[in-house]
Amino acid sequence: MSLPTTKLDHIAAKLLEYGKKRIDLPELLKILGDSGADSAEAYTDVKEIAELGFVFPVKKSGTNGNRQYPLYLRYHICLEKTVSEDVLAGIRALHPRLLQTGYLEANPEKYEAHAQELQQLSRYLFSDWDREPISRKERSFAIFHREKVLDGGEMKSLLKNLGFSQEELCFYDTPEDCFHDYIRRRGDRVTLLICENKDVWFDLRKLMAEDGLTSLFGCKLDGVVYGGGNRISEKTGAVQAYVRYMRIPEVRFLYWGDIDRYGFEIYRRTTEANPDLEMELFVPAYRRMLIEAERLGLPGMEMSPAGNIAYKDVSGLFPDSLENNVKHLLQRLLQENRLIPQEILSAAILRREAGYDEE
């Protein structure tokens, strides 16, 4: 009885994935789904794939000693990966650094699976990119216009096989365990900036601690607080309790998060959960995010995962002084369920905006 076509396709795929030119009999039987206990079945299956040209025996390896159903102890794998000229051309067009290990030429299916990301990385390497170390998410956005690509296990594995390190791509991981705030100056009245995401909070914390940052986008800041995404809005009165703990008479909060439905919903819920606080959106930062997004090409901004959150008019969250064209752009992005993450403003951009680096 011959093997079904679907099983033959599965066997061919497994042999191609095996990664070696020769395969020992036990491994071959495992791919065939044969335990070896049924000598007749194993003999028939191996004979069939040999006749189809999948494998041929290494006769010097000897046989299993079964006179009725003799099988060789080792086989050559005859299957070869067929690669289209388009795929080969795509690989060859990449930056030479991506071809250095020969991994993509040997595994063209990896190129096909990650062509978009590899092409984006290639363009980035060809460009005059900024080699100042920034966070993983910031570098991910700079390369892919998506802030979480470098977090994925497949991308980590691919970069490792291509011989890339964090140091080469000039990014670092922000620590998981660190203080949730940094207050540079305490007094009777302070202005604290709440950041939705850890990476930007960490960058500002470093600028305050190491470079003496006192203002950003023309606004005086006395400290930064990590909001932890949705956590800051989950418990009623949580931020008010934090203020009581600080024992500072007057605290003004500025809030800065992602431009998407989720980010503004976090802000809305935070203000509702802490009605006694003085809190407003950090408008200059949102305006600067839009400028950077327009420079990179707004149509390329990724879709937000917050599609389950209904669209809401956010114009009332911003001051009347905000330009109408900016309000309209924000509304359009939210209507289209787009995402512009905080990480679009990297540490390098923040340093320049704070006046520590020249353009």
Side-chain angles (χ1 to χ4, degrees):
M1 182 177 177
S2 61
L3 293 166
T5 303
T6 53
K7 187 170 183 179
L8 286 172
D9 289 342
H10 173 76
I11 291 168
K14 287 294 183 182
L15 288 171
L16 284 170
E17 292 173 5
Y18 188 67
K20 299 177 182 178
K21 293 292 186 182
R22 296 184 179 188
I23 185 169
D24 292 334
L25 180 60
E27 291 295 318
L28 179 59
L29 294 179
K30 191 182 296 183
I31 288 175
L32 293 172
D34 293 322
S35 65
D38 189 336
S39 299
E41 182 180 8
Y43 176 79
T44 301
D45 290 348
V46 172
K47 182 181 178 184
E48 181 174 351
I49 65 168
E51 289 174 349
L52 289 171
F54 287 16
V55 297
F56 72 88
V58 179
K59 295 184 177 180
K60 290 182 180 180
S61 67
T63 68
N64 59 358
N66 190 319
R67 292 186 177 182
Q68 188 175 4
Y69 302 110
L71 291 172
Y72 286 92
L73 297 178
R74 181 172 290 184
Y75 289 80
H76 283 287
I77 296 174
C78 306
L79 294 173
E80 293 184 1
K81 298 174 183 177
T82 56
V83 185
S84 72
E85 284 300 318
D86 288 343
V87 170
L88 288 174
I91 292 173
R92 291 165 185 158
L94 295 174
H95 189 279
R97 180 62 187 80
L98 293 168
L99 308 179
Q100 191 168 299
T101 64
Y103 179 75
L104 292 175
E105 293 93 330
N107 300 273
E109 71 279 1
K110 296 296 183 181
Y111 172 81
E112 293 182 278
H114 302 283
Q116 179 183 354
E117 290 82 3
L118 287 166
Q119 290 165 8
Q120 288 172 316
L121 178 55
S122 178
R123 286 194 292 271
Y124 193 72
L125 294 173
F126 274 121
S127 71
D128 185 22
W129 59 284
D130 184 2
R131 285 168 174 76
E132 178 182 342
I134 57 178
S135 75
R136 179 186 292 272
K137 285 186 171 62
E138 289 166 344
R139 185 63 72 201
S140 177
F141 189 87
I143 297 172
F144 307 105
H145 293 178
R146 286 174 287 157
E147 81 275 21
K148 295 181 180 179
V149 175
L150 290 175
D151 290 344
E154 285 192 31
M155 183 54 64
K156 288 180 180 179
S157 175
L158 180 60
L159 288 174
K160 182 179 179 181
N161 286 316
L162 292 174
F164 279 92
S165 64
Q166 288 188 200
E167 291 74 23
E168 187 170 359
L169 287 177
C170 300
F171 67 83
Y172 51 79
D173 287 309
T174 50
E176 289 300 324
D177 299 312
C178 49
F179 294 109
H180 70 285
D181 66 8
Y182 177 80
I183 301 176
R184 179 189 58 81
R185 185 193 69 85
R186 293 178 181 267
D188 291 339
R189 177 174 174 79
V190 298
T191 298
L192 302 181
L193 174 62
I194 298 174
C195 291
E196 178 184 332
N197 299 304
K198 182 176 63 177
D199 292 58
V200 177
W201 169 81
F202 185 75
D203 290 336
L204 289 173
R205 183 181 184 276
K206 285 183 65 179
L207 281 170
M208 285 186 166
E210 298 175 10
D211 296 298
L213 179 139
T214 59
S215 65
L216 185 65
F217 304 117
C219 181
K220 184 177 79 70
L221 298 177
D222 298 302
V224 284
V225 179
Y226 172 43
N230 193 48
R231 289 196 298 275
I232 199 168
S233 67
E234 287 178 338
K235 185 178 179 181
T236 301
V239 186
Q240 292 173 181
Y242 165 70
V243 171
R244 288 194 296 271
Y245 169 78
M246 286 193 295
R247 298 180 182 273
I248 296 176
E250 293 184 60
V251 180
R252 174 194 179 215
F253 285 102
L254 298 172
Y255 185 88
W256 179 18
D258 296 337
I259 293 178
D260 74 337
R261 296 180 189 179
Y262 193 65
F264 287 118
E265 188 63 20
I266 291 173
Y267 170 71
R268 195 193 306 270
R269 290 202 308 268
T270 302
T271 56
E272 291 173 353
N274 300 274
D276 297 334
L277 293 184
E278 181 184 350
M279 185 180 297
E280 59 190 272
L281 291 170
F282 190 28
V283 175
Y286 289 100
R287 186 185 287 114
R288 184 64 179 82
M289 289 167 72
L290 290 172
I291 291 172
E292 188 65 14
E294 286 187 306
R295 185 185 71 80
L296 295 172
L298 275 171
M301 295 297 105
E302 66 176 315
M303 300 299 291
S304 169
N308 59 324
I309 298 176
Y311 162 73
K312 292 180 182 178
D313 188 330
V314 298
S315 57
L317 302 179
F318 287 89
D320 294 337
S321 58
L322 184 64
E323 302 89 335
N324 284 331
N325 64 317
V326 176
K327 289 182 180 179
H328 292 154
L329 178 55
L330 284 168
Q331 296 286 38
R332 178 166 68 82
L333 290 168
L334 295 181
Q335 287 172 340
E336 295 175 357
N337 193 34
R338 298 287 179 178
L339 167 65
I340 301 176
Q342 268 191 292
E343 290 87 358
I344 195 172
L345 299 187
S346 68
I349 293 175
L350 294 176
R351 283 183 63 84
R352 289 197 296 270
E353 291 293 339
Y356 295 113
D357 286 338
E358 296 181 356
E359 292 285 350

